[in-house]
Amino acid sequence: MGQRTRTPAVEPSVLVVISLGGGLGALARYGIGVWWPSQPHQVPWSTFTINVVGCFAIGILMVLITEVWVAHRLLRPFIGIGVLGGFTTFSTYSVEVRRLLESGAAVEALGYLGGTVVAALGAVVLGMFSARWATGTARRTS
């Protein structure tokens, strides 16, 4: 039989910063959802915007902490996994696609389904390019 591999233990400080960041991100997402509620039979623009903005921010963050700064070891788990992970929401996106389909808004559901993926990926790339341009690292990494 093959050897079992052990999952490495996660440092408590990493779990704490992820938890704190996740709480902050989730509160921000909730606040935006209350301020800008989704309307029945319409694309949920608040969730779409949240996911695209979060993806743009992760693009910026990853460039800054991997190419520009010597970042504290807890920065990425706090902001990237915690804040932005709690802010963006694949589960709500999935439920909203289903809700649109069940309400008979198939065109809106399919547009939201594909549009979110394209916009989110585009936002990551745009965030990366923007961060590189703003910091001048685009010339150094090319």
Side-chain angles (χ1 to χ4, degrees):
M1 292 287 191
Q3 285 184 315
R4 281 192 153 171
T5 58
R6 285 185 48 190
T7 304
V10 179
E11 293 179 45
S13 60
V14 173
L15 293 177
V16 168
V17 298
I18 290 171
S19 298
L20 292 172
L24 292 173
L27 284 171
R29 178 182 72 225
Y30 176 78
I32 292 169
V34 168
W35 176 71
W36 187 10
S38 299
Q39 301 302 316
H41 309 292
Q42 292 182 353
V43 171
W45 291 109
S46 58
T47 304
F48 177 85
T49 303
I50 286 165
N51 286 333
V52 172
V53 168
C55 287
F56 180 75
I58 198 73
I60 292 171
L61 175 69
M62 293 312 293
V63 167
L64 293 177
I65 67 174
T66 62
E67 299 174 18
V68 179
W69 302 332
V70 176
H72 188 280
R73 67 181 187 80
L74 296 177
L75 184 65
R76 181 176 174 262
F78 176 70
I79 298 176
I81 299 168
V83 174
L84 295 175
F87 182 65
T88 58
T89 173
F90 185 76
S91 57
T92 300
Y93 159 73
S94 301
V95 168
E96 288 172 339
V97 169
R98 181 176 171 225
R99 182 182 49 80
L100 285 168
L101 286 170
E102 288 174 346
S103 73
V107 172
E108 291 85 351
L110 294 175
Y112 179 52
L113 181 70
T116 296
V117 173
V118 170
L121 290 173
V124 170
V125 171
L126 183 61
M128 292 172 64
F129 282 124
S130 298
R132 287 180 179 141
W133 176 81
T135 61
T137 59
R139 290 179 289 276
R140 288 185 281 177
T141 60
S142 299

XYZ file of all heavy atoms in Angstrom, residues 2 5 16 21 45-46 48 58 63 72 77 84 87 92 107 110 112 117 129-130 133 141:
183
model
N 0.363 2.313 -0.575
C 1.092 3.582 -0.620
C 1.091 4.273 0.729
O 0.288 3.969 1.606
N -0.249 10.649 3.084
C 0.359 11.961 3.286
C -0.480 12.726 4.285
O -1.707 12.666 4.254
C 0.453 12.747 1.968
O -0.855 12.871 1.430
C 1.352 12.035 0.975
N -6.875 32.997 11.931
C -7.464 34.198 12.537
C -7.613 35.302 11.495
O -8.682 35.917 11.382
C -6.638 34.680 13.747
C -7.059 36.073 14.187
C -6.756 33.699 14.892
N -10.838 38.691 8.042
C -11.015 39.241 6.694
C -12.293 38.758 6.046
O -13.017 39.527 5.410
N -27.628 42.736 -10.563
C -26.462 43.568 -10.863
C -25.557 43.789 -9.658
O -24.354 43.973 -9.804
C -26.902 44.905 -11.470
C -27.476 44.714 -12.833
C -28.778 44.831 -13.207
C -26.763 44.322 -14.008
N -28.918 44.547 -14.541
C -27.699 44.230 -15.061
C -25.426 44.028 -14.282
C -27.341 43.864 -16.358
C -25.066 43.665 -15.571
C -26.020 43.588 -16.591
N -26.127 43.770 -8.467
C -25.284 43.969 -7.282
C -24.297 42.818 -7.131
O -23.100 43.046 -6.903
C -26.129 44.131 -6.026
O -26.964 43.008 -5.825
N -23.311 40.737 -9.494
C -22.408 40.814 -10.648
C -21.293 41.819 -10.374
O -20.108 41.529 -10.552
C -23.204 41.221 -11.901
C -22.366 41.395 -13.128
C -22.046 40.316 -13.927
C -21.898 42.654 -13.495
C -21.270 40.474 -15.069
C -21.129 42.826 -14.623
C -20.821 41.730 -15.420
N -8.423 41.376 -6.703
C -7.481 40.270 -6.536
C -6.377 40.349 -7.579
O -5.223 40.012 -7.296
C -8.180 38.894 -6.538
C -7.276 37.814 -5.921
C -8.565 38.431 -7.910
C -7.125 37.875 -4.452
N -0.483 41.176 -7.994
C 0.684 41.849 -8.567
C 1.453 42.577 -7.473
O 2.678 42.481 -7.386
C 0.280 42.820 -9.701
C 1.425 43.750 -10.071
C -0.184 42.031 -10.921
N 3.962 41.268 4.119
C 3.862 40.482 5.355
C 3.183 39.159 5.014
O 2.266 39.116 4.194
C 3.051 41.250 6.404
C 3.071 40.618 7.745
N 2.261 39.551 8.064
C 3.806 40.896 8.847
C 2.493 39.197 9.313
N 3.425 40.006 9.813
N -3.358 36.036 3.005
C -4.514 35.340 3.577
C -5.604 36.286 4.078
O -6.794 35.992 3.928
C -3.931 34.538 4.745
C -2.474 34.515 4.542
C -2.115 35.652 3.645
N -11.497 39.373 0.285
C -12.037 39.213 -1.071
C -12.797 37.899 -1.233
O -13.765 37.830 -1.987
C -10.927 39.347 -2.108
C -10.298 40.740 -2.150
C -9.119 40.772 -3.121
C -11.321 41.800 -2.501
N -16.079 38.652 0.298
C -16.793 39.669 -0.476
C -17.415 39.069 -1.737
O -18.596 39.273 -2.010
C -15.832 40.803 -0.834
C -16.442 41.938 -1.579
C -17.404 42.741 -0.995
C -16.037 42.235 -2.873
C -17.974 43.806 -1.680
C -16.594 43.302 -3.566
C -17.567 44.081 -2.969
N -23.984 32.650 -4.135
C -25.118 33.531 -4.441
C -25.321 33.621 -5.948
O -26.453 33.579 -6.437
C -24.892 34.930 -3.833
O -24.763 34.783 -2.425
C -26.049 35.866 -4.143
N -33.036 33.875 -20.890
C -32.048 34.712 -21.582
C -31.203 35.474 -20.567
O -29.977 35.517 -20.667
C -32.736 35.678 -22.574
C -31.747 36.681 -23.146
C -33.412 34.891 -23.691
N -28.830 32.968 -18.703
C -27.664 32.552 -19.493
C -26.695 33.707 -19.718
O -25.478 33.516 -19.693
C -28.120 31.939 -20.819
C -28.897 30.623 -20.675
C -29.421 30.158 -22.025
C -28.061 29.550 -20.009
N -26.278 36.216 -17.641
C -25.641 36.410 -16.327
C -24.602 35.326 -16.069
O -23.501 35.607 -15.606
C -26.736 36.399 -15.259
C -26.263 36.558 -13.839
C -25.425 37.593 -13.463
C -26.692 35.673 -12.853
C -25.017 37.745 -12.138
C -26.296 35.818 -11.533
C -25.452 36.856 -11.184
O -25.051 36.998 -9.881
N -18.659 35.185 -15.747
C -17.363 34.514 -15.920
C -16.434 35.359 -16.787
O -15.272 35.598 -16.424
C -17.552 33.105 -16.520
C -16.211 32.478 -16.873
C -18.325 32.214 -15.563
N -2.895 44.233 -15.084
C -2.270 45.218 -15.973
C -2.267 46.612 -15.354
O -1.285 47.341 -15.473
C -2.972 45.249 -17.341
C -2.582 44.118 -18.240
C -3.558 43.282 -18.764
C -1.259 43.871 -18.580
C -3.221 42.226 -19.595
C -0.912 42.822 -19.411
C -1.896 41.994 -19.917
N -3.374 46.971 -14.697
C -3.455 48.293 -14.059
C -2.411 48.447 -12.962
O -1.752 49.486 -12.860
C -4.849 48.508 -13.459
O -5.828 48.482 -14.460
N 0.997 48.765 -14.547
C 1.161 50.076 -15.163
C 1.386 51.137 -14.093
O 2.295 51.965 -14.199
C -0.067 50.412 -16.013
C 0.004 51.779 -16.597
C 0.683 52.180 -17.701
C -0.634 52.951 -16.068
N 0.510 53.530 -17.897
C -0.295 54.029 -16.910
C -1.454 53.191 -14.971
C -0.744 55.326 -16.691
C -1.900 54.471 -14.748
C -1.553 55.530 -15.600
N 8.910 43.609 -16.087
C 8.545 42.195 -16.248
C 8.432 41.793 -17.700
O 8.312 40.631 -18.002
C 7.225 41.875 -15.517
O 6.194 42.697 -16.066
C 7.361 42.067 -14.024
